[in-house]
């Protein structure tokens, strides 16, 4: 225990006891503080914040049991070990109930005290570290996953509910809606956060390559296998595997993956030994996987295996209340990165940002903000810094919904009805008084989601 710098406070009225304890503890590298009354103890705890407190039951001005809650009121983290010559089971129980970590009866073996101290310090340290780490991670996560729409709030709640489970998650949403980000968040917020997060993009990987990536191979399993290699299932052991663009996985590999998910075991390519699958699976796709199943491009059984907890990330145009917070978020981000001091956006730019259909979603928004900030020579981003529309950016109050063009009004109306009808095209067309084909054409023209 060399180099240990933890501060220990001894509270005991007997000089000889304090002297003995001090030499014992300093011999182990602890720093030692001493108090001979309760009042002095409280003062030292306030000023010096010791990491651990050794507390005698009998003190001249008070007794240890009365002092306990007052110490806890000042510092509820520092563990307290009660030391007493007059210990009864009852006092021990009362002490523990009042917040003491442990109880030791005098006389005791110096070694048992040292072991007890070391163990108690270790326990509080890990508890504190866990707390701090958890907090830091939650803060990072909450800070960066921007959005105040109901959809985003629901996703936040789902991520929290998923923290303690191994549930398989299927993320669906258009490109740039944040699937990769959510996959990461699920891992970071989960109890697996200290284990690996391994992401695999399934697009363009042949069956052979994907198999050896996923399951690893033994030396000599195929010509180029000059050494054996662990696959992603092994690397991600007890962590999370993220299958990005799962719809792009070849049917043959899908079959193999399904098999592994069902058996919960796998073998390396060319291997004999069975290994256990102990990972949380997250898959993502920007296609409608159910459509892919109908078209015979995705295995139905695998779809159901993955679709245990579906999370749909709506397009940005379906949650416009997130647009401005995201813009602010990326302005802050790029202010930092580009060393700029952009304060915000002009009302006209704001209206443009709110009216734009965002086919590339948040990724596109991020790119547009970055580009605008590079172009922008003023304090705020102007409409002319944005790549859509051709506006002169006189500061004016005319930038509200009242002054939208007919086309914009049409687009907004279509969107409202479509959202209210949960993307049902037939009902939307009926309400708007147009045929389905007309509606379909308009959706395409305005770059609106075709209802899934
Ligand atoms: N809610 C959000 N708050 C802040 N940034 C976000 C949010 N959602 C997404 N982003 C950012 O937007 C960009 C695109 O997100 P991401 O890569 O996760 O999308 P995706 O759905 O995986 O897209 P693709 O289907 O093209 O892979 C990233 O830079 C990501 O950090
Ligand atoms: Mg992605």
């Amino acid at each position: 225990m060399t180099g240990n710098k933890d501060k220990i406070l001894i509270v005991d009225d007997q000089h000889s006891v304090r002297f003995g304890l001090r030499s014992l503890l300093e011999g182990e590298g602890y720093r030692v503080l001493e108090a001979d009354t309760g009042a002095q103890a409280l003062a030292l705890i306030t000023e010096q914040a010791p990491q651990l407190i050794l507390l005698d039951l009998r003190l001249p001005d008070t007794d240890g049991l009365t002092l306990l809650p007052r110490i806890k009121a000042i510092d509820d983290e520092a563990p307290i070990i009660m030391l007493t010559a007059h210990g009864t089971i009852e006092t021990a129980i009362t002490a523990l109930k009042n917040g003491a970590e442990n109880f030791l009866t005098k006389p005791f073996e110096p070694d048992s005290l040292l072991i007890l101290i070391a163990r108690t310090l270790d326990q509080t340290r890990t508890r504190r570290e866990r707390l701090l780490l958890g907090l830091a991670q939650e803060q990072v996560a909450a800070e960066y996953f921007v959005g105040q729409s109901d959809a985003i709030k629901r996703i936040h709640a789902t991520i929290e509910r998923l923290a303690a489970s191994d549930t398989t998650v299927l993320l669906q949403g258009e490109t740039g809606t944040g699937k990769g980000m959510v996959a990461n968040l699920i891992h970071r917020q989960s109890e697996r956060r200290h284990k690996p997060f391994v992401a695999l993009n399934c697009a363009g990987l042949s069956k052979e390559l994907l198999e050896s990536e996923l399951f690893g191979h033994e030396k000599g399993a195929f010509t180029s296998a000059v050494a054996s290699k662990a696959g992603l299932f092994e690397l991600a052991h007890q962590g999370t595997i993220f299958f990005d663009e799962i719809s792009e996985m070849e049917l043959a590999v899908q079959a193999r993956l399904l098999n592994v998910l069902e058996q919960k075991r796998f073998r390396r390519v060319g291997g004999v030994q069975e290994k256990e699958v102990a990972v949380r699976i997250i898959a993502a796709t920007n296609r409608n996987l159910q459509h892919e199943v109908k078209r015979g491009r995705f295995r139905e059984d695998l779809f159901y295996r993955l679709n245990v907890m579906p999370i749909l990330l709506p397009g940005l145009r379906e949650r416009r209340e997130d647009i401005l917070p995201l813009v602010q978020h990326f302005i802050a981000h790029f202010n930092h990165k580009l060393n700029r001091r952009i304060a915000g956006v002009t009302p006209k730019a704001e209206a443009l940002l709110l009216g734009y259909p965002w086919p590339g979603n948040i990724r596109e928004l991020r790119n547009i903000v970055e580009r605008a900030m590079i172009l922008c020579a003023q304090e705020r981003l102007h409409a002319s810094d944005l790549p859509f529309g051709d506006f002169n950016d006189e500061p004016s109050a005319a930038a509200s919904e009242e002054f939208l063009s007919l086309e914009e009004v049409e687009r907004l109306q279509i969107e409202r009805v479509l959202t209210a009808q949960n993307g049902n095209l037939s009902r939307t067309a009926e309400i708007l008084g147009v045929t389905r084909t007309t509606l379909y054409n308009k959706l395409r023209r305005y770059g609106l989601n075709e209802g899934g």
Side-chain angles (χ1 to χ4, degrees):
M1 273 247 167
T2 46
N4 199 319
K5 289 282 168 58
D6 278 327
K7 244 187 288 180
I8 298 181
L9 170 65
I10 305 167
V11 189
D12 197 309
D13 57 345
Q14 276 177 280
H15 182 265
S16 61
V17 173
R18 294 200 309 271
F19 183 80
L21 284 173
R22 174 184 278 276
S23 23
L24 176 71
L25 296 175
E26 285 184 340
E28 290 295 305
Y30 294 111
R31 283 176 296 160
V32 174
L33 305 167
E34 289 179 32
D36 57 3
T37 63
Q40 204 188 349
L42 292 176
L44 278 173
I45 292 165
T46 313
E47 285 162 26
Q48 302 274 331
Q51 273 76 41
L52 185 139
I53 299 157
L54 296 176
L55 181 60
D56 191 20
L57 196 61
R58 284 220 184 139
L59 295 166
D61 56 338
T62 175
D63 72 272
L65 289 181
T66 317
L67 205 58
L68 266 173
R70 298 179 60 195
I71 294 177
K72 288 285 163 192
I74 299 172
D75 183 347
D76 68 349
E77 288 250 29
I80 299 167
I81 298 177
M82 299 287 290
L83 300 177
T84 180
H86 329 278
T88 62
I89 295 290
E90 280 74 22
T91 30
I93 291 173
T94 317
L96 295 177
K97 271 194 187 155
N98 283 335
E101 243 65 31
N102 258 307
F103 198 90
L104 207 61
T105 315
K106 298 184 215 172
F108 45 76
E109 289 292 317
D111 271 346
S112 16
L113 178 65
L114 290 177
I115 290 170
L116 189 60
I117 289 177
R119 208 173 56 206
T120 308
L121 281 171
D122 258 345
Q123 280 164 359
T124 31
R125 220 186 330 267
T126 43
R127 192 174 65 210
R128 198 175 315 190
E129 271 162 15
R130 264 205 310 271
L131 257 165
L132 281 177
L133 207 71
L135 276 182
Q137 274 167 340
E138 273 156 37
Q139 265 163 13
V140 167
E143 230 173 87
Y144 288 112
F145 188 55
V146 179
Q148 40 194 241
S149 59
D150 288 345
I152 291 295
K153 284 187 199 146
R154 265 200 308 277
I155 291 167
H156 263 298
T158 308
I159 292 173
E160 262 170 46
R161 267 190 290 129
L162 285 170
S165 75
D166 291 343
T167 310
T168 302
V169 180
L170 179 61
L171 298 165
Q172 298 198 73
E174 294 169 28
T175 180
T177 46
K179 298 182 295 295
M181 192 173 193
V182 169
N184 231 294
L185 267 178
I186 292 174
H187 175 76
R188 276 198 288 145
Q189 303 270 62
S190 80
E191 285 168 3
R192 298 168 175 262
R193 63 171 77 92
H194 301 298
K195 304 289 181 181
F197 175 84
V198 174
L200 175 71
N201 192 316
C202 305
L205 284 183
S206 70
K207 175 173 180 288
E208 290 71 27
L209 203 55
L210 196 52
E211 286 201 335
S212 100
E213 277 294 311
L214 276 181
F215 310 119
H217 58 248
E218 296 297 349
K219 187 175 171 180
F222 40 89
T223 354
S224 60
V226 289
S228 54
K229 186 183 118 184
L232 297 180
F233 270 111
E234 275 170 79
L235 293 178
H237 188 65
Q238 296 185 335
T240 305
I241 289 196
F242 174 41
F243 291 101
D244 206 358
E245 303 200 39
I246 187 89
S247 60
E248 308 306 303
M249 188 181 267
E250 273 181 38
L251 279 163
V253 187
Q254 290 176 26
R256 182 81 203 276
L257 178 64
L258 176 71
N259 191 265
V260 170
L261 297 184
E262 275 173 351
Q263 310 292 317
K264 302 214 181 294
R265 336 207 106 246
F266 66 95
R267 279 190 207 141
R268 285 183 179 180
V269 178
V272 282
Q273 199 199 336
E274 290 229 304
K275 294 173 191 281
E276 174 208 8
V277 174
V279 295
R280 129 93 49 84
I281 310 277
I282 304 179
T285 172
N286 52 26
R287 292 179 192 268
N288 183 321
L289 215 47
Q290 241 159 337
H291 284 183
E292 298 299 295
V293 169
K294 274 185 209 139
R295 289 176 192 152
R297 288 201 287 241
F298 201 82
R299 290 185 66 110
E300 189 170 18
D301 39 15
L302 181 58
F303 170 73
Y304 286 116
R305 257 289 140 193
L306 297 173
N307 197 37
V308 183
M309 173 53 88
I311 297 182
L312 183 67
L313 282 126
L316 195 49
R317 79 192 74 84
E318 294 160 53
R319 43 177 168 125
R320 289 191 187 270
E321 59 273 47
D322 290 342
I323 293 175
L324 295 178
L326 279 164
V327 169
Q328 277 308 331
H329 166 73
F330 289 123
I331 287 178
H333 175 82
F334 289 113
N335 269 339
H336 186 71
K337 197 169 152 197
L338 305 169
N339 199 17
R340 298 293 310 268
R341 295 206 176 154
I342 306 288
V345 293
T346 64
K348 210 158 195 174
E350 204 172 283
L352 279 180
L353 289 162
L354 285 171
Y356 183 67
W358 300 110
N361 295 297
I362 300 164
R363 181 175 303 110
E364 183 182 19
L365 182 137
R366 181 193 155 106
N367 291 341
I368 284 177
V369 171
E370 182 179 20
R371 176 181 172 279
M373 285 179 68
I374 293 167
L375 292 176
C376 179
Q378 285 124 315
E379 226 182 48
R380 290 189 294 168
L381 300 182
H382 284 58
S384 52
D385 300 321
L386 300 173
F388 21 80
D390 182 22
F391 295 82
N392 63 0
D393 201 23
E394 298 285 288
S396 88
S400 69
E401 252 190 51
E402 302 157 44
F403 296 94
L404 293 175
S405 70
L406 276 178
E407 267 202 352
E408 281 170 311
V409 171
E410 183 177 79
R411 182 180 51 65
L412 273 179
Q413 181 61 8
I414 292 176
E415 242 181 278
R416 282 186 187 132
V417 179
L418 196 61
T419 310
Q421 298 305 315
N422 290 322
N424 184 311
L425 292 186
S426 306
R427 265 182 285 141
T428 304
E430 201 178 299
I431 291 168
L432 293 171
V434 297
T435 64
R436 258 185 75 110
T437 317
T438 308
L439 175 61
Y440 191 71
N441 288 335
K442 285 184 189 295
L443 289 174
R444 287 185 42 163
R445 169 140 57 96
Y446 295 129
L448 293 171
N449 191 2
E450 288 144 28

